[in-house]
Amino acid sequence: MNVMQPIVGQWYRGATNELFEVVAIDDGDETIEIQYFDGTVTEMDFDTWNEQLFDRMLDAADAPEDWSGAIDVEAEDLDREFEDNARMAWSNPQDRSLRR
């Protein structure tokens, strides 16, 4: 049997061929919290982990190069130039009166 312990921060490819990262391990509850590339967080118990290992449905994987999986970003937003339209702090005389 292949023995591969879950490691927090390590990426894996599971039974559904989806990438996921181990984000927490709870030894008391015997659960592994995982986050899929799309941002979905779920738990897997130790028995399920071991069953998937035994059935060769679980492999270590490299972290995805595309960091935007869990972030809701449109493609055109990635190349967008941002304008700084922020007001200067205390630019209104009424605002300055609050500092007294």
Side-chain angles (χ1 to χ4, degrees), residues 3 9 16 20 27 34-35 38 47 59-60 74 79 86 89-90 99:
V3 178
T16 59
F20 66 88
D27 291 321
I34 61 174
Q35 181 174 14
D38 69 359
D47 290 337
D59 275 322
E74 298 296 324
D79 294 326
W90 307 105
R99 294 177 61 185

Side-chain angles (χ1 to χ4, degrees), residues 54-70:
F54 182 75
D55 293 339
R56 297 177 187 232
M57 298 177 2
L58 187 65
D59 275 322
D62 292 329
E65 291 182 22
D66 179 10
W67 55 266
S68 65

Side-chain angles (χ1 to χ4, degrees), residues 2-18:
N2 184 12
V3 178
M4 180 174 31
Q5 298 295 321
I7 300 170
V8 174
Q10 174 66 45
W11 285 84
Y12 300 89
R13 188 171 302 279
T16 59
N17 205 31
E18 288 185 277

